[in-house]
C-alpha cells in the first residue's frame, strides 16, 4: 500500500478556519465570484480572503493582490483559474502555507498531451509540499455543517433552490456533474446532506481517501458514491472496508457495466476503468451496494437515511391488492428475500378480521379493508407479534389519495410500529410529496412501486449481512513464492503453484525415452506425456500431447514421437524434455485463474471447464487475496455449481479442496502484484468429495 | 377457437344508452349508491334506472322496485348485491332484455366451493341468453368519452381527485385494485384515459376480448394491461394480434414471474397461471411490451401516448455529464440499442461549438454548456441532420431547476424539433411536475433517469419492429398426423415425427438377431441398437442401449444381449423388438420439445443438449405453431447459439434444417392440442451446415 498522508489532512476541505479564493471576481456572473458569494450567503464563519490583483474589496470582503499578501494562516484555497496558470498559483499557495487547495480548472489530464503534464506537476507539488489538492476538473466540495462551499455551483445562490439542510448523508463523486445531479435528486426526495466532495481527475486526493474520511466522520451515517474508475486500488479498498467496519452503508454507482459503456467512460475521463466484473467482486467483498440506476441509488439512500436495517430476510405484507402481493413475491424470489407462511394460529387471527382474506403471508385484505382503517393494525399486529417478521410492507395502492382515510391508517398502526422500533415498516402507495414526507416522518419508508419496496429491503438486508460478517482478508505468508519474471514452461509453472500450496498432479520430466518409461512406471498407468518448452504455448496444436499411455513401452515411444514432432513444428524452440504425468480420471473439470486488473490489481477467477467459461461466461471473481470461506462462496456463485454439488449423476466434488487451492492461488497472485500478468490453471480437476483436487496444466504469464 | 359473441356485444359496457343499478342505495356511503352518484356527477347522458324496493327516488332519479318494472330498453345493468343473490338477479336482467351486466360481487370462484358453483351459473346464463357479463369480483368499468361509470370506485366523487380527462389510452385489468392503481399512477403522470375495464373472475367477458375491442376502438391508441392468467388462450392471442395489426402498443404486466409469485397468484385468483416462460414467448411473438414493474409500465405508456416511434435502434445523446453518457451506453448495450459514431465531418462541427467536447456520440458538452443555451441546438442539429439519428436524448441533469435557462434551451431547440416531426426527442433532467408537463407539451418526452430514457426508447423501438413484421402464424396442414392416444414406443413416436415432417435418423426394427444383423448391414456401420418397448421408458438404465456396433456379428449379438437384459429387468414389459439405427457422428446435440401449457396450450421449446438445458435452463419457447423464420429467431435466442454458429472449433451447424424441424414439430403440437401432454425430441442432432438435422430419439406423452 502506498503511504498516504493521514486523513486529518482532508479536514480543511470541509471545515476550514480560513478560505482564500484565487481569481476572485468582482463580477457576480463569473465563476471566480461564486465561492465568495457563497461564503457570504451561507454564513461561513471563517475568514475569507479574495485574491484579486485590482480590487480592494470583493463582494464585501477586503481583497489581496496575491496570496502571499494575506500574511495570515490560510487553511484552504479555491482556484478558479485557467489550467496553464495553476502550477504557479499552487506553488504560491504552498509557500503561503495553504493546507488544502480545491482546483476546478479543466484542461488537465482529460484532454491528454500538455494537460497530462500539467496534472503531473500538480501531483508532484502535492507530494513534495504535503499540501492536499482536490481536483482538477471537478466541481469542488461543500460541507453543510460548516457552511463551507468551495464550489462554483451556482444553484445555491438561487433562492428558489437555496442552500442545503444539514443531514447525515454525504456524497463523494468523481464526476462534478454527477455529484450535483445526485445531490439535487436527493434534495428533491427530501434528503438532507452533510459533506459533498467531487474529486475530478484526482491529481492528489482520491475517491477512496474521501470514503475513509467519511467513514470516520461522526456526522456522516450514509455514503452515496459515484465512481468511474479507481486511480488507487488500495485507498479504495481501505475506504470501503472502513465504511463497512463502521457500519456505514456505501451506495455506489460504478458506470461502465457494458463494454460499450466502459469505452465511453474511458474516453471521457483520465481514469483507468478496469474490468466491470472486478468491481462487482470488490463491492460484493466489501459490502457496498452497487446501484444499477440513479433512481435505485436514491431509493436505497432514503432507506439508509432512516437508519433501520432488517435483522433477517423474512418479511410480511399487508396488501389491498392480490396482484401487488404477486409482484412482491416475484421480486423477493429474485433477490433471495423471503415471505414465510404464518403459523396456523396467526392465520386464524387474520381470518377473524376478514373472512376471505389471504392469511398465509403475503396477506391480502381483499375488498374488506374498504372504509376500515382498523383492519391494518390488526393485520400488522399478527405479522409483527405472532409472525415475528423483521419487516412489513403495507401495499396501500391509491389509499394515499384519500388523505383522511390514509391518516387514519397511519394513526391506527402507530402504536404497533412504536412497540417495534427495531422493525422496518414500508408503505407502498401512490401519494403526493407531502403525504410521503408525513409518512416518512412517522417512521415508515414510502415506495410507490411495490417491486421497489422489496428491492430496497433486500439492499438494506445486504448491509446487515456485510456488517456482521467477520471479513478476513488473509495475510500473505512470507513463504509465498515469487513467480518468474519471464515466460516459463508448464513444468516450471506447476512447480510455482505447488510451492504456493496449490495441489498439482504427480509428474516428472524426462529427458530421454528411457527416463520417460521409468517415470511412467513409477507414477502408475495410465499417464500422459507432454512436450516441455517455454517457447511452445499451444502444445496440442503441434501434436505435443499424448494421453492414455498404458505401458512403459508406450511411454518410451511417446517421448520419441513428441520430441520429433516438436523439433519439426518449432525448430527454434528450446526443448526441456517431456513431462510424464499421472492421467487424472473422473472429477469435474474446473478453471482457476488470476489476472492483474489494470485498476484493481490481482483478481482471482473460478469457473467450470470448457463451454461453461467460453460460451456462458459462467465465472466468479474476487479481488485477491481471499480466504477459504470467500473462495467457497465464489465457487457456489457460478451457475454450474450444481455439477460440483453432484447433478447429472456426477459424484459431489471436493469443493473444500478446490476452495483451498483457490485461496492459495489468490495469495500467490497478491504476492506477485508487481510482476503478474495472468495465471491460468486449466484444467483444474475437482475430484470426488474427500479425494482432493489437482491442477493438471498451468500457464503463468509474467507482466511484460 | 371457441366461438365467441362478436365484439359489438361489449359496446354497452362502455357506451350504453340506458343504465340500471340493481341494489341502488339511498345511503350515499353505500357501495350501491356509487354508480348512481357517479352517473349524476359525471353527467352521463343516457337514462338512469335505480332499482330499489323501498325508495321512490334515489339521488334524484326515479327508482323502480324491480328491473322488470322499468319497461324500457336497458343496455347495461350494474349489480352491487351479495353473491348468493346474483343468479336470480341475472335471470331477471336477461328477462328484461338487459344486454350487459357489470357484476362486482365477490364470494364467487375466488373462494372455491359454493363460489365456483355460483360463478358457473353466471357463465351458463351468459351463454344461454347472450347477455354479456363483466365480473364477478371486479371493480367494474368506465368510459370517459361517454361519461359512463359502472364502478363502485369512490375516488371520482372526491373533488380533490375528480373525474378523468378524456385521452387515448385505455386500461384493461383482471384485477380491480390494480386497474385503479394503474389509472391513478397514469393520472398523476399527466396521462388521460378513454376506457377502463376490470374483468375480475371472468365468468363471461374475457381479458382477450377486451383487448380486441380496444384494438378496434378508434378512441384508443395505447393499451395498458394487467394479466394474472389467461382463461382463454385463443381470445388472448386474438386480442394481442388485433392490437399488433392495428399498430396499437400493448403494455402489459403479467405477474407471477417466479415460482413463488406464481403460487401467490394462483392462490388469490381463480385463474390458470401456466408457465411464465410461455407468457414471455407469447408477448414476444405478438409484440406486446412486458413491463417488469408498474413504474416501467407507466414510463412506457407515457411515451406511447405521445405517439412517436423510432424508425431504428440508433440514437444520439447530448449530455452535460460524461457519466450519464456511460449510463446510457450501458443501458443501450443491454437492450440492443445503438449509439453510433458520427461521421468525421459531423464531429468537426461539434468540435467547432465546444473545443474539448466529446464529439463521437455519445456527445458531451463538458462544462462548456454553462450559461449557453445555444450549445444545445447546435449539437442537436448535427445529430439530427448530419447524423440522421432517429432519436436524440438530451441529458440536462439539474438544468430543469434553473427555469429561465431551461426554457431557453427548449426555445432554442424547438425549430430543429419542428423540422423533424418523425424523430423522437427525450429530455432526461430533474424537474418539477410543471416543468415536465411543459416540456412534454412541447413534444419532448421527459425521464429523470437517463437509464429509463434509453429503456423506454428500446420499448418503443420494439413496437416499431413488431408492427412492421409480417407475422405469419402458419396454417396447420390437413396432412399433419394425430399423435397416439396412449403411450407408444420410441419407434412409433419417431414414425409420427417423420410423418409430421421432422427428419428422423434411419432405422429399422428387428424382431430377431438375424434381422438385426441384416438391418445393420443395410444401414451401414456404425449403428446403435435399442430395445423397443412402450413399457420401458428409461432404456439406458436397464442396459437397453448399445452404441458403436461395427459389424453384422456385433449387431446380432446386441439383439440377443438387449433382449435378455430387458426380459430380466422388466419381465412384464411387452417387447416389440430391437431398433437398429444409424449412429449419428458429429453435429451439435439439441433438444426440441413441445408441451401443453395449462394456460396457453401447445408450446415449443428449443435448447442445446445436456447441461445447457439441465444446468443453465438455456432454452427458448414459442406458442405453437410457428413458421421457420420464428423458429430461427428462437434458435438464435439461446445463449449457447455460439456453438451452433461454430464456436469452439465446431463446424457451423445446419440451423436452417433445425428450424424447419422445429416449425414442423410446432405444427404437430398445435394440431394435437386436445391430446398432447408433451413431445421430447432428445437428442436432435444439428449436423454440419448443409447436411441437415435428425431426431435420434423421441418420446411422445399423450394427455392422461
Amino acid at each position: 500500500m502506498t503511504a498516504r498522508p493521514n486523513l486529518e489532512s482532508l479536514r480543511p476541505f470541509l471545515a476550514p478556519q480560513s478560505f482564500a479564493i484565487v481569481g476572485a471576481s468582482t463580477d457576480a456572473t463569473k465563476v471566480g465570484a461564486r465561492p465568495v458569494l457563497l461564503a457570504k450567503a451561507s454564513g461561513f464563519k471563517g475568514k475569507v480572503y479574495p485574491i484579486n490583483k485590482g480590487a480592494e474589496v470583493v463582494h464585501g470582503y477586503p481583497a489581496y493582490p496575491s496570496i502571499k499578501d494575506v500574511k495570515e494562516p490560510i487553511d484552504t484555497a479555491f482556484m478558479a483559474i485557467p489550467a496553464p496558470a495553476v502550477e504557479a498559483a499552487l506553488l504560491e499557495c504552498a509557500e503561503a502555507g495553504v493546507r488544502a487547495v480545491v482546483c476546478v480548472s479543466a484542461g488537465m489530464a482529460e484532454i491528454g498531451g500538455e494537460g497530462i503534464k500539467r496534472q503531473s506537476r500538480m501531483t508532484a507539488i502535492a507530494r513534495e509540499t504535503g499540501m492536499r489538492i482536490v481536483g482538477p476538473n471537478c466541481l469542488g466540495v461543500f460541507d453543510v455543517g460548516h457552511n463551507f462551499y468551495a464550489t462554483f455551483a451556482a444553484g445555491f445562490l438561487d433562492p428558489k433552490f437555496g442552500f442545503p439542510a444539514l443531514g447525515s448523508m454525504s456524497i463523494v463523486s468523481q464526476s462534478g456533474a454527477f455529484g450535483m445531479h445526485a445531490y439535487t435528486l436527493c434534495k428533491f426526495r427530501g434528503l438532507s446532506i452533510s459533506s459533498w466532495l467531487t474529486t475530478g481527475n484526482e491529481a492528489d486526493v482520491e475517491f477512496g481517501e474521501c470514503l475513509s474520511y467519511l467513514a470516520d466522520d461522526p456526522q456522516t451515517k450514509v455514503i452515496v458514491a459515484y465512481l468511474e474508475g479507481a486511480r488507487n486500488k488500495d485507498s479504495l479498498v481501505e475506504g470501503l472496508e472502513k465504511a463497512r467496519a463502521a457500519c456505514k452503508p456505501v451506495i455506489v454507482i460504478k458506470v461502465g457495466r457494458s463494454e460499450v459503456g466502459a469505452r465511453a467512460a474511458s474516453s471521457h475521463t483520465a481514469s483507468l476503468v478496469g474490468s466491470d466484473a472486478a468491481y462487482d467482486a470488490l463491492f460484493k467483498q466489501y459490502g457496498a451496494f452497487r446501484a444499477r440506476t440513479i433512481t435505485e441509488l436514491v431509493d436505497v439512500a432514503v432507506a439508509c437515511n432512516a437508519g433501520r436495517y432488517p435483522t433477517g430476510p423474512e418479511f410480511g405484507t399487508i396488501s389491498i391488492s392480490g396482484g401487488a402481493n404477486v409482484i412482491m413475491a416475484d421480486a423477493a424470489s429474485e433477490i433471495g428475500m423471503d415471505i414465510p407462511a404464518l403459523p396456523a394460529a396467526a392465520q386464524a387471527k387474520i381470518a377473524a378480521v376478514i373472512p376471505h382474506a389471504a392469511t398465509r403471508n403475503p396477506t391480502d385484505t381483499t375488498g374488506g379493508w374498504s372504509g376500515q382503517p382498523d383492519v391494518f393494525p390488526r393485520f400488522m399486529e399478527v405479522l409483527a407479534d405472532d409472525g415475528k417478521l423483521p419487516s412489513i410492507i403495507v401495499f396501500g395502492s391509491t389509499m394515499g389519495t384519500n388523505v383522511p382515510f390514509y391518516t387514519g391508517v397511519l394513526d391506527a398502526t402507530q402504536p404497533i410500529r412504536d412497540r417495534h422500533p427495531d422493525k422496518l415498516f414500508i408503505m407502498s402507495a401512490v401519494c403526493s410529496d407531502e403525504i410521503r414526507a408525513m409518512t416518512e416522518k412517522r417512521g415508515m419508508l414510502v415506495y410507490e412501486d411495490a417491486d421497489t419496496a422489496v428491492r430496497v429491503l433486500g439492499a438494506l438486508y445486504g448491509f446487515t449481512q456485510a456488517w456482521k460478517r467477520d471479513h478476513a482478508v488473509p495475510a500473505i505468508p512470507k513463504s509465498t513464492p515469487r513467480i518468474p519474471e519471464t515466460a516459463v514452461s508448464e513444468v516450471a509453472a506447476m512447480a510455482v503453484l505447488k510451492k504456493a500450496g496449490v495441489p498439482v498432479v504427480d509428474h516428472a520430466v524426462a529427458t530421454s525415452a528411457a527416463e520417460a518409461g521409468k517415470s511412467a512406471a513409477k507414477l502408475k498407468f495410465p499417464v500422459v506425456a507432454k512436450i516441455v518448452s517455454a517457447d511452445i504455448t499451444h502444445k496440442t496444436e503441434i501434436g505435443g500431447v499424448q494421453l492414455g499411455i498404458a505401458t512403459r513401452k508406450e511411454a518410451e515411444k511417446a517421448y520419441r514421437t513428441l520430441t520429433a514432432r516438436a523439433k519439426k513444428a518449432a525448430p527454434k524452440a528450446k526443448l526441456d524434455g517431456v513431462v510424464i504425468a499421472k492421467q487424472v480420471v473422473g472429477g469435474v473439470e474446473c478453471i482457476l485463474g488470476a489476472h492483474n486488473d489494470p485498476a484493481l490489481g490481482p483478481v482471482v477467477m473460478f469457473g467450470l471447464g470448457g463451454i461453461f467459461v467460453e460460451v456462458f461466461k459462467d465465472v466468479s471473481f474476487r479481488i485477491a487475496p481471499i480466504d477459504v470461506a470467500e473462495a467457497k462462496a465464489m465457487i457456489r456463485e457460478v451457475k454450474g455449481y450444481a455439477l460440483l454439488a453432484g447433478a447429472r449423476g456426477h459424484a459431489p466434488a471436493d469443493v473444500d479442496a478446490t476452495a483451498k487451492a483457490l485461496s492459495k492461488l489468490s495469495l500467490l497472485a497478491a504476492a506477485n502484484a508487481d510482476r503478474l500478468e495472468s495465471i491460468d490453471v486449466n484444467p483444474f480437476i475437482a475430484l470426488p468429495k474427500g479425494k482432493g483436487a489437482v491442477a493438471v496444466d498451468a500457464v503463468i504469464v509474467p507482466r511484460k
Side-chain angles (χ1 to χ4, degrees), chain A:
Chain A
M1 200 171 292
T2 325
R4 310 285 311 158
N6 75 45
L7 292 175
E8 267 309 298
S9 66
L10 298 185
R11 187 168 306 274
F13 288 110
L14 299 169
Q17 304 287 322
S18 49
F19 181 38
I21 300 94
V22 180
S25 173
T26 52
D27 177 349
T29 68
K30 291 274 159 71
V31 166
R34 290 199 195 135
V36 188
L37 294 167
L38 285 165
K40 200 172 164 186
S42 68
F44 174 60
K45 299 276 190 306
K47 308 258 181 184
V48 177
Y49 305 115
I51 310 300
N52 180 309
K53 279 211 160 55
E56 290 212 344
V57 171
V58 173
H59 305 299
Y61 297 102
Y64 300 79
S66 146
I67 202 149
K68 290 180 287 188
D69 301 317
V70 176
K71 316 269 189 211
E72 298 281 339
I74 302 172
D75 280 351
T76 306
F78 182 89
M79 233 164 239
I81 54 178
V86 166
E87 181 180 348
L90 281 177
L91 289 170
E92 282 194 355
C93 283
E95 212 169 304
V98 172
R99 295 165 61 203
V101 175
V102 175
C103 177
V104 298
S105 315
M108 300 288 187
E110 81 282 4
I111 64 160
E114 191 57 35
I116 295 178
K117 284 187 204 152
R118 285 183 198 128
Q119 188 169 316
S120 302
R121 280 300 301 142
M122 294 180 69
T123 305
I125 293 169
R127 299 282 184 273
E128 285 157 18
T129 64
M131 180 176 75
R132 303 306 310 269
I133 304 172
V134 158
N137 191 27
C138 70
L139 204 54
V141 300
F142 68 74
D143 186 89
V144 180
H146 296 91
N147 300 321
F148 181 61
Y149 294 82
T151 170
F152 64 92
F156 306 121
L157 295 168
D158 175 354
K160 278 193 203 131
F161 190 72
F163 282 97
L166 178 60
S168 55
M169 181 191 77
S170 290
I171 295 176
V172 52
S173 171
Q174 287 186 322
S175 150
F178 186 90
M180 189 45 69
H181 187 68
Y183 163 69
T184 308
L185 286 173
C186 287
K187 174 190 160 85
F188 281 18
R189 190 66 180 73
L191 280 177
S192 40
I193 186 169
S194 175
S195 302
W196 183 89
L197 298 125
T198 67
T199 57
N201 292 1
E202 301 184 2
D204 174 31
V205 173
E206 293 159 3
F207 178 88
E209 287 182 277
C210 297
L211 278 188
S212 288
Y213 185 86
L214 296 171
D216 280 350
D217 171 40
Q219 178 67 26
T220 299
K221 305 279 183 236
V222 178
I223 301 169
V224 162
Y226 171 89
L227 181 65
E228 284 172 355
R231 281 183 190 74
N232 180 341
K233 171 220 173 169
D234 292 334
S235 74
L236 175 59
V237 167
E238 192 180 317
L240 290 171
E241 175 56 14
K242 261 185 183 272
R244 194 198 66 77
C247 296
K248 295 189 182 179
V250 175
I251 308 142
V252 61
I253 289 227
K254 161 69 181 74
V255 293
R257 284 195 312 275
S258 64
E259 280 176 40
V260 183
R263 263 205 311 280
S266 63
S267 75
H268 104 274
T269 64
S271 71
L272 279 168
V273 171
S275 109
D276 192 66
Y279 280 101
D280 243 4
L282 174 73
F283 297 135
K284 200 176 292 163
Q285 277 171 274
Y286 291 91
F289 177 77
R290 182 176 187 179
R292 214 186 52 75
T293 64
I294 306 175
T295 307
E296 191 177 38
L297 177 103
V298 176
D299 283 336
V300 175
V302 168
C304 290
N305 201 55
R308 290 185 197 184
Y309 296 86
T311 54
E314 307 84 10
F315 69 100
T317 80
I318 306 170
S319 176
I320 67 164
S321 151
N325 273 337
V326 185
I327 286 172
M328 290 191 274
D330 281 345
S333 148
E334 281 168 21
I335 60 169
M337 296 295 280
D338 186 21
I339 308 181
L342 289 171
Q347 292 197 43
K349 284 190 190 177
I350 287 183
V353 183
I354 294 179
H356 293 307
T359 59
R360 195 177 185 271
N361 191 34
T363 75
D364 179 356
T365 62
T366 69
W369 65 277
S370 189
Q372 303 193 56
D374 69 306
V375 160
F376 298 90
R378 296 175 71 188
F379 272 59
M380 198 179 269
E381 208 152 42
V382 175
L383 291 169
D385 295 339
D386 303 71
K388 303 199 183 345
L389 296 165
S391 311
I392 294 169
I393 302 178
V394 178
F395 181 79
S397 183
T398 61
M399 199 195 278
T401 61
N402 180 343
V403 179
F405 182 83
Y406 182 80
T407 317
V409 170
L410 290 188
D411 288 344
T413 53
Q414 187 79 51
I416 302 160
R417 302 201 314 272
D418 288 345
R419 255 200 286 131
H420 295 284
D422 54 322
K423 292 191 193 297
L424 264 120
F425 296 90
I426 305 184
M427 173 63 79
S428 178
V430 189
C431 49
S432 65
D433 287 352
E434 293 73 39
I435 297 289
R436 187 175 62 192
M438 183 265 279
T439 311
E440 287 174 346
K441 215 170 191 173
R442 292 202 184 198
M444 281 186 97
L445 295 168
V446 183
Y447 296 98
E448 189 174 270
D449 195 317
D451 177 86
T452 306
V454 174
R455 284 170 201 278
V456 169
L457 203 54
L460 295 177
Y461 181 59
F463 288 124
T464 306
Q465 288 174 293
W467 296 338
K468 81 178 170 203
R469 184 185 60 202
D470 186 10
H471 186 87
V473 176
I476 300 171
K478 288 238 170 68
S479 59
T480 306
R482 297 290 284 159
I483 64 169
E485 287 183 80
T486 52
V488 291
S489 72
E490 168 201 346
V491 174
M494 297 283 265
V496 173
L497 286 176
K498 193 174 178 183
K499 205 173 160 205
V502 177
V504 302
V505 69
D506 287 342
H507 64 279
V509 179
T511 50
S512 70
E515 218 180 328
K518 205 171 135 194
S519 294
K522 204 168 154 195
L523 288 166
K524 286 182 193 150
F525 298 99
V527 297
V528 302
K530 290 187 249 181
I531 202 78
V532 183
S533 168
D535 302 327
I536 302 175
T537 40
H538 298 288
K539 293 183 281 275
T540 315
E541 285 172 19
I542 64 142
V545 179
Q546 196 172 324
L547 306 177
I549 297 166
T551 66
R552 192 164 175 154
K553 267 232 152 68
E554 281 178 33
E556 288 166 1
K557 195 180 158 201
Y559 180 91
R560 286 185 292 262
T561 311
L562 299 189
T563 314
R565 283 182 190 158
K567 279 183 179 149
K568 198 177 162 202
K572 289 182 184 164
K574 182 180 170 290
L575 301 184
D576 297 330
V578 167
V579 63
I580 306 293
K582 228 179 135 38
Q583 183 162 332
V584 180
V585 180
V588 179
E589 204 178 291
C590 303
I591 298 177
L592 313 187
H595 74 274
N596 220 334
D597 184 85
L600 298 179
V603 168
V604 278
M605 185 204 84
F606 174 78
L608 294 181
I611 51 152
F612 285 93
V613 170
E614 294 177 32
V615 176
F616 287 98
K617 322 283 182 216
D618 181 29
V619 291
S620 55
F621 294 94
R622 291 293 187 278
I623 308 299
I626 55 169
D627 64 6
V628 178
E630 190 81 49
K632 271 191 204 168
M634 197 179 156
I635 292 169
R636 279 193 300 265
E637 214 172 280
V638 299
K639 289 206 194 90
Y641 176 68
L643 287 184
L644 287 167
R648 263 182 70 84
H650 280 88
D654 202 326
V655 173
D656 288 352
T658 307
K660 208 177 145 198
L662 197 49
S663 169
K664 293 291 186 191
L665 177 66
S666 80
L667 290 162
L668 176 65
N672 288 279
D674 56 332
R675 57 169 74 158
L676 174 77
E677 175 79 32
S678 66
I679 304 175
D680 267 292
V681 187
N682 179 14
F684 178 90
I685 309 289
L687 292 164
K689 201 167 180 171
K691 303 213 165 151
V694 280
V696 171
D697 202 345
V699 178
I700 295 180
V701 181
R703 192 180 265 176
K704 272 173 208 110

